[in-house]
Amino acid sequence: MDLIMPMSSVAAASREQRLSRPSPSAPGLSLALQLQRAEFCLDVKLNLPAQGVSVLFGHSGSGKTTLLRCLAGLERADGEVKFGEQIWQQGRQWLPTHKRPLAYVFQEASLFEHLTARGNLDFAIKRVNQRQLQNSGKPLLVEDDIIEMLGIGHTLKRYPQQLSGGERQRVAIARALLSQPSLLLMDEPLASLDEQRKQEILPYLERLKSGLALPVVYVTHSIQEVARLADYLVAMDQGQAVAHGTLAETLADPHFPLQLGEEAGVVLEGVIEQRDSQWQLACIRVAEQHDIWLRDNDKPLGAAIRARILARDVSLSNSRHEDTSILNAWPVVVESIHTDKHEGLALVRVRAGDTPLLSRMTRRSVDHLQLHPGKQVWAQVKSAALV
Amino acid sequence: MELSEADFTAIWLTLELASLVTLILLVISTPIALWLVRSNSRARPFINAVVALPLVLPPSVLGFYLLIAMGPHGPLGKFTESIGLGTLPFTFAGLVVASVIYSLPFVVQPIQNALAALGNRPAEVAATLGASPLDTFFRVTLPLARSGFLTAAVLGFAHTVGEFGVVLMIGGNIPDETRVISLQIYDHVEALDYTQAHILSALMVGFSFVVLLLLYGIRQPAGGRSWT
């Protein structure tokens, strides 16, 4: 269990997500791109939402970074890219990168070595297109706020060589934000950092996500980053978008095409509803109707958080058990049953109201419980990790 | 023992020639180097080879072909005559053209190496921050590849100062027009005026040494750059 995800009005957001599935409403980012590469053939048609974090998730070599570079105009693919009303690429029409209202955070910190951290920020600030900014009606990101949000005040006078890996990446993120983008593209911004630095930066990314109304396209191969940051998930494999949708729905899709193995499971968003100081537990209310009791981690009541529930931690039974150590039991309906990678195991998708869950069990248990789509059963959640 | 007026004329002419050639070379070598680094064109190895030719050709061969090309029947000569410039051989202008071609690889290659070492990333970063290509070149590429450009300028200048064969073929030996230091030394030796030859030669040795010292000084602080 680690950090908590603060989010303003999570209930409203999650309601909106549910309504907008499967495809988000325009005007977000719409793209249809083809590009032949030695390793894969990029062929993607997608609409990404105009708000929140859309994660492109896949193994290395799946084409997710190439897709991001094509969006930025750093690479030229055939097809079209539209951002809201703006055409970035269509037929022969091509808007060069420096005219697209975007910012890009590269995998390794790409600060200009001949400038101080301050100089790097100023580079972005000086090139803000004032007229474009006014037309967009977007609220201005204030320099001092961004510096404070990313905790880089102490780095400003130093050169990139004098900064730690984590500090450099935070300065790079601040620089990207201060170019006042309408869309932020991030290419595995944590991948080049060690575990400790990752944990250092993730909270900043979460703050950015909750604090700014800026759509983000985020590339990663880490399911942890997906769980913490994603609102919308696109699974990439061999240059194709093999699945996409809101985070909850896509992760709960038993056909989720990337083998997550032990990591298979769902991410639920909820609000801390009450806490039990005697047993040091907190109660998370998910989708305004289901409660999960978890280890308390001192977040205030009403705080929005995310919890990850792995398929292996969810068991099903035909009746409600009272004499069990498991605290959390919900009545659910079986939606579908799928053979897992191992023939002896099954992934069962159930639904508690609007909330989908995955449960992994042996096929023998499926048979024993006589599970079939439509059957009402009880789901016990053994543990849920706050992400 | 003192430098004669003719010696001073030769020195002044040489400095004038080398400065002008260096300036021209920096301007034309930059786009060539940028193209050589960024292009995937099939013409790239050919252009690379053409640029490097003066490195391996005897100056007399280069001078010979330049003489023919710039002569009244050569393509370059016809062109310069048609626009009313006359022919270039045995003029200062002809010497500038020949020196530019002769010293080209010494300027293109350091710039090319510096740009290749820098990679595309800084320019990409600048573009995503809204910088136009020209803005990017002057504010990012040039400062980051500064030592490459300095090396190129120093090498181009020094190499032009030191040329002899091409000057002899193209420029002849006309005082105040094409008679540079290396030719002046040659003249002194021919006239068995060894003292004067010594002075000028010692000047050249000193100059070359300072240039090399400068070069290694430029290269020292490089490194520690991590664009991965």
Side-chain angles (χ1 to χ4, degrees), chain A residues 69 102 108 111 114 127, chain B residues 121 124 127-128 135 139 227:
Chain A
R69 290 176 57 82
L102 56 78
E108 71 288 355
L111 299 180
H114 63 298
R127 284 159 182 81
Chain B
R121 183 51 54 83
E124 286 185 353
T128 63
D135 186 10
R139 299 288 165 188
W227 289 101

Side-chain angles (χ1 to χ4, degrees), chain B residues 3-216:
Chain B
L3 290 175
S4 66
E5 197 170 318
D7 290 339
F8 276 116
T9 311
I11 291 174
W12 178 245
L13 188 70
T14 306
L15 293 179
E16 209 178 352
L17 175 73
S19 309
L20 192 59
V21 166
T22 305
L23 213 67
I24 295 172
L25 273 175
L26 283 177
V27 172
I28 63 173
S29 297
T30 303
I32 295 176
L34 275 170
W35 185 84
L36 284 173
V37 169
R38 301 219 171 126
S39 168
N40 294 318
S41 159
R42 268 187 233 161
R44 200 170 73 143
F46 292 97
I47 302 296
N48 248 327
V50 168
V51 168
L53 262 184
L55 281 178
V56 293
L57 280 182
S60 50
V61 171
L62 199 68
F64 172 63
Y65 280 120
L66 281 172
L67 188 63
I68 290 184
M70 298 197 296
H73 303 295
L76 215 64
K78 280 183 184 160
F79 171 72
T80 50
E81 282 205 314
S82 73
I83 58 171
L85 287 176
T87 51
L88 293 175
F90 312 114
T91 65
F92 183 74
L95 209 51
V96 170
V97 173
S99 300
V100 162
I101 292 170
Y102 182 52
S103 296
L104 188 66
F106 292 87
V107 179
V108 170
Q109 288 187 350
I111 299 177
Q112 190 181 344
N113 292 341
L115 293 177
L118 193 59
N120 233 346
R121 183 51 54 83
E124 286 185 353
V125 173
T128 63
L129 294 171
S132 70
L134 210 62
D135 186 10
T136 300
F137 177 77
F138 283 108
R139 299 288 165 188
V140 177
T141 310
L142 194 58
L144 282 173
R146 199 186 66 220
S147 72
F149 282 90
L150 276 175
T151 305
V154 172
L155 274 180
F157 188 89
H159 191 250
T160 306
V161 167
E163 75 182 75
F164 176 76
V166 172
V167 184
L168 202 62
M169 296 292 281
I170 295 292
N173 196 351
I174 304 163
D176 206 17
E177 178 79 27
T178 63
R179 187 182 289 168
V180 294
I181 299 175
S182 55
L183 285 173
Q184 182 76 357
I185 295 171
Y186 180 73
D187 278 358
H188 286 318
V189 174
E190 288 274 271
L192 295 178
D193 193 354
Y194 279 22
T195 318
Q196 292 301 103
H198 262 310
I199 299 173
L200 280 181
S201 297
L203 270 175
M204 288 294 276
V205 172
F207 167 76
S208 304
F209 179 75
V210 169
V211 163
L212 290 177
L213 205 64
L214 214 74
L215 266 186
Y216 289 109

